Amino acid sequence: EEADFRLAMEQQKAEANAAGVAIHQVHGPWPVDDTSAEKREANLEYYKLCVRGCAYLGSKYLIMHPVMPYGWGAEEDADWVDEVNADFIRKLTDYARPFGVTICLENMPHRNFSMAKPEKVLQLLQ
């Protein structure tokens, strides 16, 4: 299964190279359902697959949006949202580091989401 995935990514890379396209960055899946611990864990595994895909494609950057544990609904606890994001991003960056892939956190389109504010993203990354 992993060998098939790697082969598919290497074929994509070869096609891109033949067309003169360098794969500089890859955007991870979005939107995803982050509304339970089980779903976040499944999403983390999928993002790990994306990290390996980046490595096979020669991309050093994987773009992701912050985790939205309340979905599109109102946030009840912004501090908890920060904790969930910090935990998710820490796990993913720890996994990505040996692959030479940098995790990049993209802004959010949802203005009522606390992580949509640039200062919150900066605070999380410090």
Side-chain angles (χ1 to χ4, degrees), residues 20-117:
V21 174
I23 302 173
H24 181 71
Q25 64 184 20
V26 172
H27 198 294
W30 193 83
V32 294
D33 186 346
D34 298 314
T35 57
S36 72
E38 294 80 16
K39 290 176 180 179
R40 288 188 294 276
E41 191 60 36
N43 291 342
L44 179 61
E45 292 306 311
Y46 192 59
Y47 269 101
K48 287 178 179 179
L49 179 67
C50 294
V51 165
R52 296 193 307 277
C54 283
Y56 299 147
L57 290 168
S59 171
K60 294 184 179 188
Y61 303 100
L62 175 61
I63 314 302
M64 67 170 284
H65 288 284
V67 175
M68 296 175 65
Y70 291 109
W72 293 97
E75 286 183 16
E76 297 171 23
D77 185 348
D79 290 337
W80 181 69
V81 171
D82 293 350
E83 291 173 24
V84 168
N85 272 280
D87 181 61
F88 190 94
I89 293 167
R90 186 180 315 101
K91 288 176 182 174
L92 187 58
T93 55
D94 287 348
Y95 183 82
R97 192 171 291 113
F99 290 93
V101 174
T102 299
I103 305 303
C104 303
L105 197 58
E106 188 176 354
N107 63 317
M108 295 297 298
H110 184 357
R111 291 193 302 176
N112 295 327
F113 181 51
S114 63
M115 291 297 301
K117 298 168 183 68

